Amino acid sequence: MNIEVEVNGVGYSRDIEPRMLLVHFLRDEIGLTGTHWGCDTTNCGTCVVWMDEVPVKSCTVLAAMAAGHSVRTVEDLEQNGTLDPVQQGFMEMHGLQCGFCTPGMMMTARWLLDHNPDPSEMEIREAISGQICRCTGYENIVRAIRWAAEHSGEPADKAGEVMA
Amino acid sequence: MTAVSDTETTIGFGRVLRKEDVRFLRGKGNYVDDIKLPGMLHGAVLRSPYAHAKIVSINTAAAEAHPKVRAVVTGKLLETLNLAWIPSLSHDVIAVLATDKVRYQGQEVAFVVADDRYAARDALELIEVEYEVLPAVIDAKTALDPSSALIRDDIEGKSDNHIFDWDCGDQEETDQVFDQAEVVVKQEMLYPRVHPAPMETCGAVADMDPISGKLTIWSTTQAPHAHRTLYALVAGLPEHKLRVVSPDIGGGFGNKVGIYPGYVLAVVGSILTKRPVKWMEDRSENLMSTSFARDYHMSGEIAATKDGKILGLRVHVLADHGAFNNTAQPTKFPAGFFHIFSGSYDLRSAYCQVTGVYTNKAPGGVAYACSFRVTEAVYLVERMVDCLAQELKMDPAELRMRNLLKPEQFPYLSPTGWEYDSGDYPRALRLAMDIAGYETLRQEQAEKRAKGELMGIGVSFFTETVGAGPKKHMDILGLGMADGCDVRVHPTGKAVVRLSVQTQGQGHETTFAQIVSEVTGIPIADIEVVHGDTDSTPFGLGTYGSRSTPVSGAACAIASQRVRDKARIIAAAMLECSPEDLEWESGRWFVKGDPSSGKTIQEIALAAHGPLELPDGVEGHLDGQCVYDPPNLTYPFGAYICVVDIDKDTGKVNVRRFIAVDDCGPRINPMIVEGQVHGGLADGVGMALMEAIAFDEEGNCLGGSFMDYLLPTSLECPSWETGQTVTPSPHHPLGLKGVGESATVGSPPAVVNAIIDALSVYGVRHADMPFTPAQVWRTIVGSPMRTDMAFK
Ligand code: FES
Ligand code: FES
């Protein structure tokens, strides 16, 4: 079947099998491999993206269900060469190690801060509790999201680009 | 806080932000499943539904007829290539695809290569396998009974399920100590089978170039060089035509040390189809078939005086290795480093005996941050010490304090032959108790108990042994455990360092640049770390057992020192003086007594590549190399305290606080070290509370998905409280000890000790992990479960 999906502000039209998962559509069909896949049972959250401004587990959404909707992935967090405060916070507070859970964690974090700009530690822990990180023990992810809350609205440190 | 830009000029050790983050944060990591090559096909594995069954027939005709299928591989086909069986990491064999029978649920039976991953899976359904089901051996405790089915009838002359017996320590002397002891406490305990479960599963992309004959394998491997050599030996492929690339790895924890059948099948698929083939397992395959950890049934005994002086330890272990002995241990040590089980205590005598058995379960590996079974050893001794404390009615922290090795006893030769390099144990325990407010916690506990509430405080102390070799004692399949490193300074003073080890999240791109920077004074930002590609890095055995910093870090420090030494000779030629007249300050050689005349490392690098005349015998350019064969292991240690509250109505354990004091010597990057500790603490909480792979009596794996194999989330983990002491290793060039697995080793007994402490009001002395609400409740009512099986 043919579907049209908007991803990160760009329209894509693809012929796909009706059973194709959104995560595979993003990764294999349009080459956005920042979104990861980590389980068969909707438990890990490495696949979290936004569909119409709401975080979803893209392993549990058919690509066909995303037709006509807009999807946002980790690749869209950086805007005009400036890291999102969430990205900056993950770097500053060492909120990632292997980086595999990180895109999903950051997409949830961005959504949380958009709806609750000053979350408590417990609110952050609840927000990310549907996602698993095997490396960090979560502490630095919580600190990273707090960092982003405290530094939102400030001009982001451009140094992130310099290093890239 | 260090800003990102600070790394531009920062030199040496300290908290700097990670270089690798810039790609991960943008979704630009390059993991194995991100690799897409022109014409690439996809493989999928058909697995056994049975734990033990004879294969009567396999019919692949319908799968082969599928329009998108390019190849179907069975064990029979592999036999013609001499690839149906490959050597295991422990001088056994493993089946790539089963030929005669299947020996565990999830074992590989057939492989399909198709145009896309969906079609490959579809075709699996078209393969018909006829099985004749055999009785399965699931309980390790009955595996040696003559009535148990024979699992390994493929081994000529094999008539039972016995793998090995191994012992260590002085049995006679230990028996004497026990005979004369005033107090002896015995306890049986199980360290259940758990799984590393990195967020990225295992996979590979194999690309055989039919013209050049060069085979490139991108795979999830913690040890790319060891893999290359093994592929060469196994498949008879010339090693120089083999390139193994370990790109970004989404967590390893030991899961990615071995070579899995899927990797070999991707290679076979590429050879057969002459196209690149990707194989990526799903989560169930990862949990059911790849390297697990632990599965140790331990019977421990501890001997002491009435006033709490520990005298001896004795233990018998029944080790469940699954259907093939594939545990990655140094050849001489079939039970890994379990014989460090005398722990951190000054005791007279210790003896252990380990029996390994086959069962119809997935084969093992050195997996899940275990430092070659130090995890099991530390769990045993730390539980035994708590059992003794309970028997003697002593405070467990006080009992430990009384028996810990004293700083003046180092270097310390343990009763089982380890030479502990350095330590100040009482200081670490005291610090942990201070951070915890130990005495106040005990008061609070007394008040809670008076009100009928369940609160527990658990203490553990661990001594790790990491950084394997030396290679004269340690090898894996004949490959000595030493690691190489090359440091090369370019004419403009920027440098590249090439490593044999491979990061899976530990931050090597930053910390190894910091090591080079510390020694040479070149800014961290000017140093590129190259790793994970066998074509561009020196040989070495890879990253596991917390060995990167102690082994490869030492190689890197020495190679950097050689650069600095060479820079001195070149600077002397530039300044027309003798090298002995020069003195070093960070990044610069200068004339003693005349600090204004000197040359920076960058100036020296340029001169080293220029027309400058060098003394006889000194070659140009500025580089250094080292192959580091460690003289001894390093011995990081730590003191952990855990506080739990238990809801006695639901059996739910809440880990309220966790205090971890670690001593890993000097810290290259304290931020990264702390992160490593945090991750290991979460592992420990997971194992203590929820992680275990159990089986039913037919051998069905009951932990085959994240619905059943539970991992700790942000809600089960407390906010970690960390502290440190610093005791350098005397034999590492920079005093570094390694830390990757410390917290995984040290934390499970702290959590379990806390839980048992809480439940001791019911007269409980021990029950096995994981403490799910059901297990807590069963323990309270006096009938704790065997957590490895569903039918007892
Ligand atoms: S891949 Fe695990 S929740 Fe989506
Ligand atoms: S950083 Fe590795 S899983 Fe979260």
Side-chain angles (χ1 to χ4, degrees):
Chain A
M1 66 185 287
N2 184 274
I3 61 164
E4 281 176 25
V5 189
E6 186 189 309
V7 183
N8 300 336
V10 179
Y12 294 88
S13 169
R14 289 286 186 281
D15 272 320
I16 58 155
E17 289 189 57
R19 61 176 170 169
M20 176 173 274
L21 301 175
L22 179 57
V23 64
H24 288 143
F25 177 82
L26 294 171
R27 292 178 49 80
D28 298 344
E29 293 294 317
I30 64 176
L32 294 177
T33 54
T35 301
H36 297 146
W37 171 90
C39 74
D40 321 318
T41 49
T42 320
N43 290 99
C44 77
T46 57
C47 59
V48 168
V49 300
W50 290 10
M51 193 157 88
D52 296 339
E53 312 274 303
V54 179
V56 294
K57 288 179 169 169
S58 62
C59 69
T60 314
V61 175
L62 294 170
M65 291 159 71
H69 296 270
S70 74
V71 173
R72 189 179 182 206
T73 71
V74 65
E75 285 90 348
D76 194 50
L77 281 179
E78 181 183 22
Q79 290 290 328
N80 307 318
T82 303
L83 292 181
D84 188 283
V86 166
Q87 293 170 301
Q88 191 79 24
F90 268 72
M91 185 166 200
E92 293 283 349
M93 302 316 290
H94 189 32
L96 69 156
Q97 291 182 27
C98 77
F100 205 76
C101 71
T102 314
M105 289 284 183
M106 293 195 303
M107 294 312 287
T108 300
R110 181 69 266 155
W111 184 87
L112 172 70
L113 295 177
D114 283 353
H115 294 80
N116 179 359
D118 187 25
S120 68
E121 180 192 332
M122 205 47 194
E123 285 168 329
I124 294 172
R125 284 184 182 270
E126 272 166 16
I128 59 169
S129 65
Q131 290 166 254
I132 298 169
C133 174
R134 204 60 169 143
C135 300
T136 65
Y138 304 103
E139 176 80 21
N140 286 346
I141 295 180
V142 174
R143 290 183 193 164
I145 298 172
R146 273 306 310 166
W147 190 99
E150 282 156 25
H151 293 79
S152 285
E154 286 178 18
D157 191 337
K158 292 269 184 176
E161 307 160 51
V162 178
M163 282 193 64
Chain B
M1 183 188 311
T2 314
V4 182
S5 52
D6 286 358
T7 49
E8 299 290 311
T9 52
T10 305
I11 287 170
F13 289 5
R15 185 190 198 277
V16 296
L17 302 185
R18 298 201 321 168
K19 288 167 165 254
E20 42 270 85
D21 288 356
V22 295
R23 64 176 184 277
F24 293 136
L25 291 169
R26 291 171 169 87
K28 298 291 182 202
N30 184 34
Y31 302 90
V32 169
D33 199 22
D34 299 343
I35 291 166
K36 198 172 183 178
L37 302 177
M40 187 173 78
L41 302 171
H42 295 260
V45 173
L46 181 70
R47 293 174 183 277
S48 164
Y50 301 112
H52 200 191
K54 203 179 264 174
I55 296 177
V56 179
S57 64
I58 303 181
N59 183 347
T60 58
E64 277 159 37
H66 187 290
K68 287 185 171 178
V69 166
R70 305 289 159 183
V72 179
V73 183
T74 60
K76 285 263 173 299
L77 176 67
L78 289 184
E79 271 175 341
T80 66
L81 302 169
N82 211 10
L83 275 177
W85 297 85
I86 59 172
S88 82
L89 295 172
S90 290
H91 303 273
D92 191 358
V93 289
I94 61 171
V96 176
L97 289 176
T99 48
D100 50 345
K101 33 177 216 180
V102 289
R103 292 175 171 83
Y104 62 94
Q105 189 183 49
Q107 189 181 336
E108 295 79 359
V109 174
F111 184 66
V112 168
V113 181
D115 290 348
D116 63 68
R117 52 178 110 213
Y118 287 60
R121 298 260 161 176
D122 287 347
L124 295 184
E125 314 249 311
L126 302 174
I127 300 175
E128 290 164 32
V129 185
E130 193 187 329
Y131 294 100
E132 185 185 311
V133 179
L134 301 167
V137 182
I138 298 307
D139 186 351
K141 293 185 176 183
T142 59
L144 294 181
D145 291 357
S147 58
S148 283
L150 178 63
I151 299 169
R152 295 301 302 278
D153 45 354
D154 58 296
I155 304 174
E156 218 179 281
K158 192 82 189 144
S159 60
D160 60 20
N161 296 317
H162 180 264
I163 308 177
F164 66 87
D165 282 313
W166 183 80
D167 70 345
C168 190
D170 188 329
Q171 182 172 21
E172 214 171 298
E173 190 192 323
T174 309
D175 288 349
Q176 258 172 29
V177 166
F178 272 83
D179 289 345
Q180 290 158 13
E182 292 167 346
V183 183
V184 173
V185 179
K186 297 183 186 186
Q187 184 60 56
E188 294 213 357
M189 61 188 80
L190 166 70
Y191 207 136
R193 176 176 280 236
V194 291
H195 199 281
M199 294 320 295
E200 177 204 35
T201 59
C202 299
V205 176
D207 185 15
M208 170 61 105
D209 183 329
I211 296 167
S212 68
K214 178 129 183 173
L215 172 65
T216 306
I217 306 166
W218 291 264
S219 63
T220 48
T221 169
Q222 300 176 218
H225 287 279
H227 276 207
R228 185 189 60 193
T229 305
L230 293 180
Y231 286 123
L233 296 174
V234 166
L237 294 164
E239 200 169 359
H240 65 297
K241 294 282 191 188
L242 269 165
R243 175 180 172 216
V244 175
V245 185
S246 178
D248 288 324
I249 300 296
F253 319 112
N255 191 221
K256 295 166 180 171
V257 172
I259 291 183
Y260 292 117
Y263 303 171
V264 177
L265 291 167
V267 171
V268 171
S270 179
I271 292 172
L272 292 177
T273 62
K274 300 190 170 49
R275 285 167 67 172
V277 171
K278 178 189 281 183
W279 167 76
M280 203 72 215
E281 68 188 2
D282 66 25
R283 178 56 63 187
S284 299
E285 297 179 281
N286 177 252
L287 289 170
M288 290 173 69
S289 72
T290 64
S291 290
F292 69 97
R294 327 287 189 252
D295 222 341
Y296 259 31
H297 298 259
M298 303 183 279
S299 309
E301 290 173 279
I302 189 165
T305 63
K306 275 192 297 226
D307 59 353
K309 169 83 190 104
I310 303 174
L311 302 172
L313 262 175
R314 205 158 54 180
V315 56
H316 179 264
V317 179
L318 182 64
D320 185 341
H321 282 226
F324 304 109
N325 186 22
N326 192 28
T327 167
Q329 309 291 0
T331 302
K332 284 188 195 168
F333 304 105
F337 300 161
F338 181 80
H339 51 304
I340 195 162
F341 73 107
S342 63
S344 315
Y345 306 105
D346 183 14
L347 44 81
R348 228 181 278 161
S349 201
Y351 175 72
C352 68
Q353 193 190 15
V354 183
T355 301
V357 296
Y358 291 119
T359 58
N360 288 116
K361 303 178 190 172
V366 45
Y368 206 170
C370 75
S371 292
F372 297 115
R373 300 220 185 263
V374 182
T375 326
E376 290 90 328
V378 166
Y379 183 72
L380 175 96
V381 60
E382 290 306 299
R383 281 298 301 130
M384 291 311 299
V385 169
D386 257 42
C387 290
L388 177 66
Q390 206 175 330
E391 177 79 18
L392 298 174
K393 301 193 170 47
M394 274 181 76
D395 181 274
E398 191 192 319
L399 179 60
R400 284 181 172 78
M401 201 57 108
R402 189 177 295 187
N403 288 283
L404 284 176
L405 292 166
K406 311 261 175 315
E408 58 274 16
Q409 288 176 274
F410 292 87
Y412 167 76
L413 189 65
S414 87
T416 49
W418 299 98
E419 192 186 306
Y420 295 10
D421 57 353
S422 62
D424 185 344
Y425 292 0
R427 184 165 59 127
L429 180 54
R430 191 63 252 170
L431 178 58
M433 291 170 72
D434 289 347
I435 296 173
Y438 188 76
E439 286 75 16
T440 316
L441 283 171
R442 286 288 175 204
Q443 275 165 23
E444 183 195 343
Q445 183 185 37
E447 287 157 22
K448 290 233 156 105
R449 278 188 179 164
K451 286 190 279 181
E453 292 173 29
L454 299 179
M455 169 183 166
I457 304 158
V459 181
S460 78
F461 199 100
F462 67 89
T463 299
E464 262 266 61
T465 180
V466 305
K471 69 182 175 137
K472 67 170 183 265
H473 296 313
M474 288 166 202
D475 67 271
I476 289 185
L477 287 186
L479 300 173
M481 301 186 80
D483 283 75
C485 179
D486 295 351
V487 177
R488 198 163 287 272
V489 186
H490 302 312
T492 57
K494 317 284 181 189
V496 59
V497 50
R498 298 171 192 279
L499 307 174
S500 59
V501 291
Q502 164 63 351
T503 184
Q504 310 113 43
Q506 296 93 329
H508 289 180
E509 287 165 44
T510 308
T511 51
F512 280 83
Q514 289 186 265
I515 293 175
V516 176
S517 174
E518 174 82 13
V519 179
T520 63
I522 298 170
I524 297 162
D526 290 352
I527 301 161
E528 181 80 357
V529 174
V530 175
H531 55 170
D533 182 340
T534 56
D535 265 6
S536 50
T537 57
F539 187 85
L541 276 218
T543 296
Y544 44 86
S546 302
R547 62 190 300 283
S548 292
T549 296
V551 185
S552 194
C556 181
I558 292 171
S560 304
Q561 183 64 47
R562 288 179 179 157
V563 165
R564 193 166 107 185
D565 293 345
K566 189 168 181 183
R568 183 182 199 168
I569 297 168
I570 296 163
M574 293 167 81
L575 294 163
E576 294 175 357
C577 64
S578 135
E580 285 69 47
D581 296 337
L582 295 178
E583 202 171 314
W584 175 258
E585 66 178 352
S586 183
R588 185 170 175 270
W589 284 107
F590 66 92
V591 179
K592 280 180 198 161
D594 180 13
S596 65
S597 55
K599 294 290 173 192
T600 65
I601 191 89
Q602 289 80 8
E603 291 166 336
I604 297 167
L606 191 56
H609 292 81
L612 177 73
E613 213 166 306
L614 294 170
D616 280 351
V618 179
E619 291 173 359
H621 303 180
L622 189 56
D623 47 32
Q625 277 148 33
C626 175
V627 176
Y628 189 73
D629 180 14
N632 185 8
L633 293 107
T634 57
Y635 296 78
F637 58 92
Y640 290 178
I641 297 176
C642 177
V643 184
V644 302
D645 299 299
I646 299 178
D647 181 328
K648 61 173 152 187
D649 296 322
T650 62
K652 187 173 183 305
V653 177
N654 176 39
V655 178
R656 189 207 308 174
R657 288 181 67 194
F658 202 109
I659 297 94
V661 171
D662 273 276
D663 191 326
C664 56
R667 298 181 172 203
I668 301 168
N669 186 327
M671 174 188 86
I672 288 178
V673 171
E674 193 192 46
Q676 295 278 294
V677 170
H678 286 173
L681 296 176
D683 286 351
V685 166
M687 288 183 279
L689 298 189
M690 60 191 83
E691 293 181 36
I693 294 193
F695 293 82
D696 71 11
E697 53 204 326
E698 280 153 13
N700 293 305
C701 173
L702 304 178
S705 80
F706 282 162
M707 306 278 261
D708 308 298
Y709 190 75
L710 304 182
L711 298 180
T713 73
S714 50
L715 293 177
E716 284 81 39
C717 294
S719 182
W720 315 109
E721 301 167 62
T722 57
Q724 62 163 321
T725 58
V726 179
T727 315
S729 169
H731 62 76
H732 185 286
L734 297 173
L736 312 175
K737 287 193 170 188
V739 76
E741 295 160 313
S742 287
T744 313
V745 166
S747 58
V751 182
V752 174
N753 286 347
I755 294 168
I756 300 295
D757 183 49
L759 300 181
S760 64
V761 295
Y762 298 102
V764 173
R765 197 176 78 185
H766 180 80
D768 289 326
M769 300 182 276
F771 284 93
T772 56
Q775 176 70 329
V776 170
W777 185 80
R778 288 276 302 258
T779 305
I780 289 175
V781 301
S783 60
M785 297 182 278
R786 262 190 81 168
T787 51
D788 56 336
M789 298 201 287
F791 54 97
K792 287 273 158 66

